[in-house]
Amino acid sequence: MKLTEKQKRFADFYIETGNGVDSARRAGYKGNNLNKIASENLTKLDIRKYVDERIAEKESKQIAKQDEVLTFLTSIMRGEQKEEVLRGIGEGAQTIDDMDVGAKDRIKAAELLGKRYAMWTDKQDIDVKGVVTFVDDIGDEDGA
């Protein structure tokens, strides 16, 4: 089922405000039972699905994904990023220059990438399934 224009407006306002009654009012619903209308709208599967999909879409745009973070760290490590640095003394003598990211930041990015790929870890994760049997195949000191 497709949403009516009023239901879509309600859902969009609800995503924006999180307030069902206000969203119903702003969407054009009338009467003293806006609370009931909002509640009913939020239990309708099509409206709920639309709201959930739009919220997930917004979150995916706002929150960096793993590949984006790794790409950014890699670009810092490789010196491909610039940072603005304020230079000068006193009022009016300050200028903003674009400079290469410093060595400390590049090392930190490399360290974070290394941790992600477990490049220098002393801990070893060993997953054993089944029975473990130890075999003593080292003889005694006296050759027996």
Side-chain angles (χ1 to χ4, degrees):
M1 176 180 148
K2 206 161 187 159
L3 299 183
T4 67
E5 187 58 36
K6 193 182 279 189
Q7 289 173 327
K8 187 175 178 306
R9 281 195 315 266
F10 167 81
D12 288 336
F13 287 131
Y14 182 77
I15 292 166
E16 181 184 324
T17 65
N19 183 319
V21 174
D22 186 48
S23 299
R25 182 179 304 108
R26 290 174 65 190
Y29 290 94
K30 305 276 188 229
N32 295 330
N33 59 349
L34 292 179
N35 191 24
K36 182 178 178 186
I37 291 170
S39 180
E40 288 175 359
N41 273 350
L42 291 172
T43 59
K44 292 179 181 176
L45 293 179
D46 290 337
I47 295 175
R48 189 79 245 169
K49 182 179 176 188
Y50 176 81
V51 167
D52 291 343
E53 286 174 358
R54 291 290 310 272
I55 289 173
E57 182 182 306
K58 281 184 168 195
E59 286 176 353
S60 73
K61 289 179 182 178
Q62 292 175 341
I63 300 170
K65 300 289 184 249
Q66 180 179 353
D67 288 345
E68 184 180 358
V69 171
L70 294 175
T71 300
F72 178 68
L73 288 173
T74 300
S75 71
I76 290 174
M77 185 195 75
R78 292 181 177 162
E80 297 168 351
Q81 294 290 323
K82 301 276 187 193
E83 62 182 338
E84 290 184 346
V85 178
L86 189 61
R87 297 192 180 267
I89 300 173
E91 288 186 40
Q94 297 177 346
T95 60
I96 297 176
D97 295 328
D98 282 338
M99 297 188 63
D100 291 333
V101 174
K104 287 181 182 180
D105 293 327
R106 292 174 72 176
I107 290 168
K108 182 64 178 179
E111 179 184 332
L112 291 171
L113 286 167
K115 282 182 181 180
R116 163 59 181 91
Y117 292 109
M119 293 173 72
W120 40 77
T121 180
D122 293 334
K123 180 181 172 189
Q124 302 242 343
D125 290 328
I126 300 172
D127 188 17
V128 177
K129 292 182 171 76
V131 178
V132 176
T133 305
F134 291 96
V135 176
D136 184 7
D137 58 353
I138 301 174
D140 293 340
E141 287 182 19
D142 57 355

